[in-house]
Structure formats: structure tokens, C-alpha cells
């Protein structure tokens, strides 16, 4: 076939091939709608997202609703109730991504209750992807988000006062099995502080479209200005509507180093199940430095176009929540170390 004939042939067959592929993936996607989220705190988050999904709403609206639910909580590690940085200031990170690879994020934003909705505005109203710090806050206020007081929550005040006694910067994160009252009890450190609880969620709607969102106050007692993986597209969240979506929780620096969720999605593209894709991403971190990996936690969570999901973590203790027509429960993730 000469080049001209080949091009002509391609032009004729390309729409047919595309149609076949989308028909195939739509046909196979039996488990929809579905929403999955990090940690056991994902159960009420999934419930908020499910309200949207079960009413035939979009995955994008669902993940925003789920993340907002978490941000409304006042005693946690997400939103303004989260733990502050080492200067005593709560700074929030969030991102959102839809089935057309539209995405938006805010990082280090202060005094704004719903960073995920600001991230969505960045996505929908600006030509940019990420706004940070004072600029993000200014954009939020200009778009009608009220400026909150910035006062620490009671538990954050207590934890910060405790931390100030030594002021040690030990970004050890999520070694959840340090002190547990049960398999899914809140994960406290020995000094009583709760170190993390980043909310990452991904969903597939009735149209077979994927979206995801992440929201967090980041690592407790971080350096002012530190940004973790959570608002970084490809690190804390990645969505590819042909393949699947993934999110992460844990020590963000390690996730950024390997472009963690992008890697998970690429492994799924190669044909790995969500669980194996997450496992291979964890292995990528561990391979670089096993000794270091023993001291830190990262967990990945993924969903593919068939509605299959899976997770993997470096350490024991990572759990995730799933809501679909078939189930509404918490699962324990497998782990490497
Ligand atoms: N990944 C978040 C960060 O590094 C923290 C977490 O997941 O708890 O900021």
C-alpha cells in the first residue's frame, strides 16, 4: 500500500476503530457507577459522592462533592481543621481532574474552606493548572469564596502545642500500625497526634467517565510553603479516561519523585490490574532505597475502566473505602515491607 492509499485507508478506518474501542470499554464496564477513596474516612466521603452518582450525575461533580464533605469536617487532617505547618499556619492543597484531562489545583492556600472547589474554578475559568499561596487565595476571594478566620481547630491547637515542645521535624508519615485500637481505628502516633488523612477519591459515572479529586492539609508541621504530592497532577492524582484513574496518600515527596499516579495509570495501560499497577509503583519507590522505604508510608489506589479497583502500600495499615451498587465497605490494602 503506498503512502497515499495508506492515509486514505487510515482516515476511513480510524473512526471505526475508535468506535469499536469505546464500545468495548463501555460494554465491559459493568461495575458503574463506583467511587473509591483513601482511608476509612472515605466512607462518608463516598456517601456524599454516591448521592451525585446514583442520581446519574457526573463523576466530576461526585468527586468534588466527596472532597467538600471531607473539607467540612472540623477535626481532621483535611481542610481548615487540619494540622498546621511548623509556623502554626494551616495551608491546604487540592486538585481535581476530569475525563477530558482538564485539571486544576491550588497549593498552600490559606483560610479557604473548600480548596477543591477553588481547584475546579482554576480548571474551568483560567488557562492555568495550578495557583499557589496568596495568588490562589486572591483568586478564591475574587470568585466568591469567603475568607475564613484561620484559627486552629481544638485538636490542631493541642497537637501543635505538643509538637512545639520538641519542634523536631520528622516527616515520618503514616506508619499506621504504631498504635491501633482496631484494624480501622483512627491512626494515632504515640504522642496522641494524628499525622495525616489526605482524602483522594476517584469515581466512574453512568457514562463510563472517570474523574478524581484530592484534598489535604498536607504533612503536619511541614516547612511553611512545602507542597506535597496531593495537588500535583501525575503525583497525587491522575485520570486517563481511556485507561483508569489513581490517587495516593503518604509521604508526598516520594510520590512526586516517581510521578506516582501517572505511573500507576501507565501500568494499567500496559494491562496490569489496578492492584498490581499500585504494587509496581510502590516497588519503584522501595527499589530506590529499601532502608529509607522501611521508615515511610505511601499508598496508591486505582480504578480502571471496567470498574475494577485495587490498592497497594509500602507499609501495613493503608485502608480504602469503596461504594458501588455491589458494595459499601472498607478494604485493607496489601503492602510490601
Ligand atoms: N500526601 C500528603 C502530603 O504529602 C500527606 C498524606 O497523604 O497524608 O502532603
Amino acid at each position: 500500500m503506498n503512502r497515499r492509499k495508506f492515509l486514505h485507508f487510515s482516515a476511513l478506518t480510524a473512526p471505526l476503530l475508535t468506535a469499536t474501542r469505546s464500545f468495548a470499554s463501555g460494554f465491559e464496564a459493568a461495575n458503574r457507577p463506583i467511587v473509591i477513596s483513601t482511608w476509612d474516612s472515605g466512607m462518608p466521603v463516598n456517601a456524599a459522592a454516591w448521592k451525585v452518582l446514583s442520581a446519574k450525575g457526573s463523576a466530576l461533580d461526585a468527586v468534588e462533592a466527596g472532597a467538600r464533605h471531607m473539607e467540612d469536617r472540623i477535626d481532621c487532617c483535611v481542610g481548615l481543621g487540619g494540622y498546621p505547618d511548623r509556623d502554626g499556619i494551616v495551608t491546604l492543597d487540592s486538585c481535581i481532574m476530569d475525563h477530558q484531562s482538564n485539571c486544576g489545583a491550588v497549593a498552600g492556600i490559606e483560610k479557604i474552606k473548600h480548596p477543591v472547589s477553588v481547584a475546579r474554578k482554576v480548571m474551568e475559568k483560567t488557562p492555568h493548572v495550578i495557583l499557589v499561596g496568596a495568588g490562589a487565595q486572591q483568586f478564591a476571594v475574587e470568585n466568591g469564596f469567603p475568607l475564613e478566620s484561620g484559627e486552629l481547630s481544638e485538636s490542631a491547637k493541642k497537637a501543635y502545642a505538643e509538637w512545639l515542645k520538641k519542634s523536631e521535624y520528622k516527616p515520618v508519615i503514616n506508619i499506621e500500625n504504631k498504635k491501633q485500637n482496631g484494624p480501622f481505628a483512627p491512626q494515632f502516633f504515640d504522642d496522641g497526634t494524628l499525622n495525616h488523612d489526605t482524602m483522594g477519591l476517584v469515581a466512574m459515572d453512568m457514562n463510563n467517565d472517570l474523574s478524581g479529586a484530592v484534598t489535604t492539609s498536607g504533612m503536619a508541621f511541614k516547612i511553611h510553603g512545602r507542597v506535597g504530592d496531593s495537588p500535583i497532577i501525575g503525583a497525587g492524582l491522575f485520570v486517563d479516561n481511556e485507561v483508569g484513574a489513581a490517587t495516593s496518600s503518604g509521604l508526598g515527596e516520594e510520590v512526586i519523585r516517581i510521578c506516582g499516579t501517572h505511573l500507576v495509570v501507565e501500568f494499567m495501560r500496559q494491562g496490569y490490574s489496578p492492584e498490581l499497577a499500585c504494587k509496581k509503583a510502590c516497588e519503584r519507590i522501595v527499589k530506590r532505597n529499601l532502608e529509607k522505604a522501611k521508615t515511610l508510608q505511601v499508598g496508591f489506589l486505582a480504578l480502571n475502566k471496567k470498574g475494577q479497583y485495587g490498592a497497594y502500600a509500602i507499609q501495613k495499615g493503608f485502608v480504602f473505602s469503596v461504594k458501588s451498587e455491589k458494595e459499601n465497605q472498607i478494604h485493607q490494602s496489601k503492602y510490601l515491607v
Side-chain angles (χ1 to χ4, degrees):
M1 196 183 292
N2 66 28
R3 187 170 175 273
R4 233 173 98 198
K5 274 192 186 152
F6 173 77
L7 290 176
H8 181 68
F9 176 77
S10 310
L12 285 176
T13 53
L16 188 64
L17 290 174
T18 311
T20 310
R21 188 168 48 186
S22 56
F23 172 73
S25 57
F27 184 70
E28 288 164 8
N31 194 18
R32 66 168 192 256
I34 180 169
V35 54
I36 61 175
S37 54
T38 51
W39 306 110
D40 45 348
S41 52
M43 290 296 279
V45 167
N46 286 355
W50 187 255
K51 269 192 199 160
V52 178
L53 292 172
S54 59
K56 297 194 169 61
S58 71
L60 182 66
D61 287 343
V63 293
E64 184 187 6
R68 283 177 68 94
H69 179 87
M70 195 71 182
E71 290 166 349
D72 273 331
R73 287 175 53 175
I74 49 152
D75 210 14
C76 181
C77 315
V78 170
L80 294 174
Y83 286 0
D85 60 25
R86 58 171 67 179
D87 294 349
I89 302 165
V90 175
T91 63
L92 305 176
D93 299 335
S94 179
C95 71
I96 193 160
M97 189 167 189
D98 76 7
H99 63 292
Q100 293 174 318
S101 301
N102 297 310
C103 47
V106 289
I109 193 168
E110 293 173 30
K111 300 184 184 173
I112 296 291
K113 194 171 184 182
H114 288 299
V116 71
S117 296
V118 185
R120 184 166 176 178
K121 280 266 184 299
V122 173
M123 171 174 106
E124 289 175 345
K125 294 188 94 179
T126 80
H128 307 306
V129 171
I130 310 181
L131 296 183
V132 303
Q137 188 192 69
Q138 183 188 333
F139 172 80
V141 171
E142 282 167 8
N143 280 278
F145 292 84
L147 203 56
E148 310 287 337
S149 79
E151 201 196 330
L152 295 187
S153 66
E154 283 313 307
S155 68
K157 267 185 208 160
K158 226 177 101 209
Y160 184 52
E162 194 59 38
W163 180 80
L164 278 177
K165 285 181 191 163
K166 288 192 195 153
S167 299
E168 267 177 3
Y169 188 57
K170 280 201 228 153
V172 176
I173 199 163
N174 302 9
I175 313 296
E176 296 83 4
N177 46 347
K178 267 210 148 185
K179 188 176 182 183
Q180 284 200 346
N181 299 320
F184 302 125
Q187 317 298 333
F188 290 96
F189 278 71
D190 290 339
D191 64 0
T193 62
L194 183 61
N195 191 255
H196 72 88
D197 211 359
T198 290
M199 175 46 55
L201 69 161
V202 295
M204 185 161 61
D205 59 30
M206 289 301 282
N207 282 338
N208 211 25
D209 285 329
L210 293 160
S211 287
V214 181
T215 186
T216 188
S217 51
M219 212 146 55
F221 318 127
K222 61 197 173 186
I223 294 174
H224 185 65
R226 177 262 185 191
V227 174
D229 58 325
S230 305
I232 311 278
I233 299 298
L237 175 72
F238 196 67
V239 177
D240 184 321
N241 208 44
E242 282 192 348
V243 176
T247 186
S248 63
S249 189
L251 188 58
E253 282 74 3
E254 295 303 314
V255 179
I256 292 171
R257 267 188 255 281
I258 63 156
C259 298
T261 53
H262 181 261
L263 187 61
V264 170
V265 170
E266 289 308 303
F267 281 135
M268 290 196 288
R269 192 192 306 279
Q270 290 169 21
Y272 289 99
S273 69
E275 184 181 292
L276 272 181
C278 292
K279 183 181 183 196
K280 285 179 74 67
C282 289
E283 283 170 348
R284 187 68 66 90
I285 296 172
V286 172
K287 200 168 73 180
R288 291 176 56 250
N289 189 337
L290 178 61
E291 283 316 303
K292 189 176 171 198
K294 284 181 186 165
T295 67
L296 61 92
Q297 173 68 305
V298 167
F300 291 107
L301 176 61
L303 176 68
N304 70 16
K305 282 291 274 187
K306 296 177 193 164
Q308 296 165 331
Y309 58 81
Y312 226 91
I314 294 179
Q315 310 267 347
K316 186 177 176 188
F318 181 49
V319 299
F320 61 100
S321 305
V322 178
K323 173 72 185 135
S324 69
E325 293 287 359
K326 295 180 194 161
E327 63 173 318
N328 185 25
Q329 60 182 317
I330 299 164
H331 290 265
Q332 211 146 8
S333 159
K334 291 184 190 160
Y335 55 96
L336 280 184
V337 178

